[in-house]
Amino acid sequence: MSDLLKLISYPLSFIMIGYGAMTILGGHITPGGGFQGGAIMAAGAILCILAYGLKDNPFNLSHERMSLIESCGALVYVLLGLCGLLYGGSFLYNVGTNIYGLVPAGLSAMFNYPDALNAGIIPYLNIVIGLKVFIGLTTLVILFYGVTKYQEDYVDDEEID
């Protein structure tokens, strides 16, 4: 790719990742949330992958790092769901708002904030889902990019009878 494209794509990808993080963190009071913010963040990382390639990518998205982030996201999602199941009676019960008064006061205080826009565990779920979507979409593009980059290695020119 050209040097101008590389010069523009790197700062633009940070702007996109920041906008995606803002969408995730404001998802409980605005339209958007985890999926939309994760897709915006993935678009920023994909821009750098397309401009720099897989080997020279400035984000250094290794398989181990991506697997660790996605696994932590899934684990926290399940733990938040089990917290709601144990204390609220249903999976992903919003422990922080405690609508039905089922949650002990100590646990409810952990997720409760003294503002009018209290959302309980919803912001945490948005963060976890955003991380999973970010890594999932980026992984798909890395796989597609790797296959199309080395497609001639997989194409068989012999005719099948």
Side-chain angles (χ1 to χ4, degrees):
M1 292 284 168
S2 71
D3 291 336
L4 182 62
L5 182 63
K6 289 181 181 180
L7 180 69
I8 292 172
S9 66
Y10 191 57
L12 187 61
S13 66
F14 276 107
I15 292 170
M16 292 174 76
I17 289 173
Y19 183 65
M22 186 180 73
T23 304
I24 290 171
L25 294 176
H28 64 287
I29 55 174
T30 61
F35 184 84
Q36 293 85 351
I40 294 169
M41 290 173 67
I46 290 166
L47 178 65
C48 268
I49 290 170
L50 293 177
Y52 288 93
L54 290 177
K55 292 183 181 177
D56 298 330
N57 188 6
F59 288 119
N60 191 15
L61 297 169
S62 66
H63 175 70
E64 292 83 18
R65 185 174 297 154
M66 292 172 63
S67 174
L68 177 71
I69 292 171
E70 191 165 14
S71 299
C72 287
L75 180 67
V76 172
Y77 185 85
V78 169
L79 289 176
L80 285 172
L82 288 177
C83 184
L85 182 66
L86 291 175
Y87 293 106
S90 61
F91 191 74
L92 290 177
Y93 178 77
N94 199 352
V95 176
T97 56
N98 197 13
I99 297 170
Y100 300 116
L102 302 172
V103 181
L107 184 63
S108 180
M110 277 182 15
F111 296 107
N112 195 0
Y113 305 107
D115 65 351
L117 302 173
N118 182 20
I121 64 169
I122 304 299
Y124 301 109
L125 291 173
N126 280 337
I127 291 169
V128 169
I129 291 169
L131 285 176
K132 285 197 58 63
V133 169
F134 166 62
I135 294 298
L137 291 177
T138 306
T139 302
L140 281 175
V141 170
I142 287 173
L143 289 173
F144 289 150
Y145 186 83
V147 168
T148 57
K149 188 75 173 165
Y150 301 106
Q151 183 177 8
E152 55 270 358
D153 294 342
Y154 299 107
V155 174
D156 188 12
D157 293 334
E158 295 179 19
E159 187 174 319
I160 299 175
D161 293 324

